[in-house]
Amino acid sequence: MQLLAKRVDLIKPSPSVMAMSRAKELIAAGQDICNMAAGEPDFATPRPIIDAAYQALLAGETKYTAVDGTRALKDAICEKFQRENGLAYTPDRISVGAGAKQVIFNAFACSVEEGDEVIIPAPYWVSYPDIVQFNGGKPVFVVAPASQGFKMTAEQLESVVTPRSKWLVLNSPNNPSGATFSRAELLQIGQVVARHPQLHVLTDEIYEHLIYDNAPYASFAEVNPGLADRTLTINGVSKSFSMTGWRLGYGAGPRQLIKAMEKLQSQTSGNPASVSQAAALAALKGSMDFFDEWRNEFRRRRDYIVEQLDGREGLSCPKPAGAFYVYPSCARHIGKTTPAGKRIETDTGFVLYLLDEYKVATVQGAAYGLSPSFRISFATSMNIIEEACRRVLAACAALH
Ligand code: PLP
């Protein structure tokens, strides 16, 4: 009898986590790698948050808590939704987990039946399809190329909805493209969803604060209040407060779903770490004044990369409206040959060439469902970004 269950074959290791670990291994082995694969801000968690966590530990917050989050944290999350998004939630509609990733997993595990369809616009965050498949669902991809700003249109959505469509996944700002839906676009998408009562919306808003050029942020449930009962809004402290390692994310949605997710979590991980909840409470209740500096720094890096790469050495690099990634196309290099005589067949081949020959770690577009492209994270220092751009341009120039 074989040890592993068949469902394990339905998932693969997260390609971005793999790329990041590979880069870290090579750096540890003494190689001079520009690591552009990071999916996390390079800033430290703000000191007041760390202090609050320490005080909470000293005060004895070291025990089990309510399975899906303390009342104090849920209250703070409700206040955050009201204050920042104009959304009125009560604590019984909030679920807190060990990262947004766990909350998304719980939501699909509790709602997706064998064969249910989940509509995922591409490019997408690498984990959505795998989580859906692990839970018996069928991802239905809608490709949103650079020519439409990497944004799925309402017409595209309408054309793929079937009676089995259970969820639509929205992610704005998007990982990997940075594309950010405007109010008007979310309204149009909402109108399609409204016509199909079987369809629910999981809106992953984890990069909410990372938007540039003074664009206002639009949250799907606020733009489409009539769909609030069919919407699960996902957010967390990982990206906004540089707290990826604390593992704390949350969701707000239909009471029935939240209740089921609590039941599942009670039999899997139990509560998210008490200290992380205390830290998240301090983050959500504290000032976000520090964030302007972070955003300005990210904007400076974004502008630099786009200026360096867009339209040079066969690359095109659209300017992202949000998040901390650029998603350039390497289409003009597919079919070319490296100085070592190797043909570049795919974006995976291109990314391997960048890593092996020019020591720049990025992630292949194939991982995000839109090729031939590659993701460069600019959540790293300006020095490294400058060096990475030099190397990428040199790598491209050396192809023939
Ligand atoms: N959603 C998106 C779009 C992400 O890019 C990530 C992390 O890379 C997550 C969710 C996971 O966030 P968390 O650290 O809260 O699990």
Side-chain angles (χ1 to χ4, degrees):
M1 195 163 52
Q2 65 181 38
L3 173 62
L4 295 183
K6 282 199 197 66
R7 63 179 170 277
V8 176
D9 293 335
L10 299 174
I11 52 174
K12 55 192 175 313
S14 160
S16 38
V17 173
M18 298 284 282
M20 181 75 178
S21 331
R22 175 100 185 105
K24 282 185 176 166
E25 264 169 37
L26 293 172
I27 291 167
Q31 289 211 30
D32 165 31
I33 302 284
C34 292
N35 183 4
M36 313 307 283
E40 56 188 350
D42 52 319
F43 303 110
T45 302
R47 182 61 196 255
I49 298 175
I50 295 178
D51 287 341
Y54 182 55
Q55 290 307 323
L57 290 175
L58 292 177
E61 289 188 39
T62 56
K63 311 286 189 196
Y64 291 134
T65 72
V67 162
D68 65 347
T70 63
R71 178 60 196 246
L73 179 54
K74 288 188 179 186
D75 284 343
I77 291 168
C78 292
E79 284 161 24
K80 176 258 177 273
F81 278 124
Q82 186 69 64
R83 185 178 66 241
E84 296 186 345
N85 310 110
L87 290 168
Y89 283 114
T90 45
D92 57 343
R93 295 182 58 190
I94 305 293
S95 176
V96 184
K101 196 180 256 186
Q102 186 183 27
V103 180
I104 295 168
F105 185 95
N106 287 348
F108 286 143
C110 289
S111 60
V112 172
E113 298 275 19
E114 203 63 37
D116 278 351
E117 294 168 8
V118 178
I119 301 167
I120 304 177
Y124 47 73
W125 178 47
V126 295
S127 294
Y128 305 130
D130 290 61
I131 295 176
V132 167
Q133 278 168 323
F134 191 79
N135 288 298
K138 185 178 151 212
V140 174
F141 300 115
V142 179
V143 175
S147 58
Q148 54 190 67
F150 299 113
K151 291 192 252 190
M152 178 194 71
T153 63
E155 294 73 35
Q156 282 183 302
L157 173 60
E158 185 68 71
S159 72
V160 296
V161 177
T162 76
R164 290 303 303 266
S165 306
K166 185 82 165 249
W167 287 98
L168 161 67
V169 177
L170 295 177
N171 173 215
S172 171
N174 174 269
N175 174 4
S177 72
T180 305
F181 284 114
S182 68
R183 258 194 114 68
E185 289 159 344
L186 288 180
L187 197 60
Q188 285 171 353
I189 290 173
Q191 284 163 355
V192 176
V193 176
R195 283 198 286 278
H196 301 282
Q198 75 281 23
L199 191 56
H200 301 74
V201 178
L202 185 150
T203 169
D204 182 343
E205 305 186 352
I206 198 142
Y207 292 98
E208 170 187 16
H209 291 113
L210 281 151
I211 55 176
Y212 308 109
D213 312 318
N214 300 317
Y217 186 71
S219 178
F220 182 83
E222 194 254 319
V223 176
N224 297 283
L227 297 172
D229 283 343
R230 283 202 263 147
T231 302
L232 180 67
T233 304
I234 298 288
N235 212 317
V237 294
S238 282
K239 320 281 174 174
S240 296
F241 299 93
S242 199
M243 291 176 65
T244 47
W246 298 78
R247 309 308 304 126
L248 203 293
Y250 52 88
R255 207 168 274 113
Q256 187 191 16
L257 177 62
I258 296 295
K259 198 90 203 131
M261 290 160 65
E262 177 190 9
K263 182 164 73 170
L264 176 64
Q265 194 155 291
S266 80
Q267 295 290 17
T268 53
S269 60
N271 64 269
S274 58
V275 65
S276 299
Q277 293 189 68
L281 177 64
L284 294 176
K285 287 215 163 268
S287 156
M288 275 204 85
D289 286 351
F290 69 90
F291 202 80
D292 285 343
E293 206 176 303
W294 290 12
R295 189 187 293 106
N296 285 339
E297 178 58 19
F298 279 130
R299 185 194 299 117
R300 195 168 78 90
R301 297 170 182 178
R302 172 199 68 162
D303 292 349
Y304 177 82
I305 298 190
V306 171
E307 189 193 298
Q308 287 297 307
L309 301 186
D310 188 38
R312 295 183 63 192
E313 299 298 352
L315 296 173
S316 76
C317 183
K319 190 184 262 192
F324 40 65
Y325 313 102
V326 287
Y327 198 60
S329 163
C330 54
R332 290 176 58 189
H333 295 299
I334 303 301
K336 289 190 179 171
T337 305
T338 71
K342 213 165 157 190
R343 209 177 120 90
I344 306 279
E345 306 281 1
T346 60
D347 54 21
T348 304
F350 180 77
V351 159
L352 281 175
Y353 164 65
L354 290 183
L355 183 61
D356 292 343
E357 305 293 334
Y358 285 83
K359 312 294 176 205
V360 184
T362 59
V363 187
Q364 67 279 13
Y368 307 100
L370 182 66
S371 290
S373 297
F374 60 115
R375 189 191 78 170
I376 302 178
S377 163
F378 48 90
T380 187
S381 73
M382 202 61 182
N383 288 347
I384 296 178
I385 291 171
E386 284 168 4
E387 181 58 22
C389 286
R390 269 194 290 276
R391 293 186 191 184
V392 168
L393 291 172
C396 291
L399 292 170
H400 58 275

